[in-house]
Amino acid sequence: MGKGFQKFKRKFRASALIRAFLFGFSLGLTVVAIQWLIAKLTAEKANFLQYTFIGGIFAVIGFFVLLVFLLPTNKRVAKRLDKSLSLGEKVQ
């Protein structure tokens, strides 16, 4: 494969990593916020260490699950390049 194709693949991989990280981080924050809200509504004592631990677990799981779906293969990169550059399946 050419250097240009590898350059596009690295770009798509970096994009996938950033999007997966942001998704995992937001999922973890959402889980912590929901637990904190439930503790406030039920008038229980908030345990932030436990909430952070559970939120972190959800963040890591969400990161890896989304990363599996977003990581580009050679075929996905070729299809995306054909579509975005209107090459008429010349890359594939």
Side-chain angles (χ1 to χ4, degrees):
M1 278 176 242
K3 290 184 180 182
F5 188 80
Q6 293 299 329
K7 188 177 179 181
F8 278 115
K9 190 173 179 180
R10 276 195 305 270
K11 180 181 166 186
F12 292 150
R13 187 179 299 139
S15 172
L17 284 170
I18 291 169
R19 288 191 295 175
F21 173 76
L22 291 175
F23 174 76
F25 185 72
S26 64
L27 180 66
L29 283 178
T30 302
V31 168
V32 170
I34 289 172
Q35 289 176 336
W36 191 13
L37 178 66
I38 291 172
K40 286 285 196 180
L41 292 176
T42 58
E44 293 181 12
K45 186 175 190 276
N47 187 355
F48 293 111
L49 186 61
Q50 178 184 6
Y51 299 162
T52 306
F53 180 72
I54 293 172
I57 290 173
F58 272 90
V60 169
I61 290 171
F63 170 78
F64 283 116
V65 167
L66 192 64
L67 191 62
V68 166
F69 289 110
L70 292 180
L71 269 181
T73 61
N74 290 340
K75 187 175 181 180
R76 285 182 188 168
V77 172
K79 283 185 178 182
R80 194 165 170 191
L81 285 174
D82 282 339
K83 188 176 172 183
S84 65
L85 300 176
S86 300
L87 295 176
E89 296 187 7
K90 289 183 181 178
V91 178
Q92 291 183 29

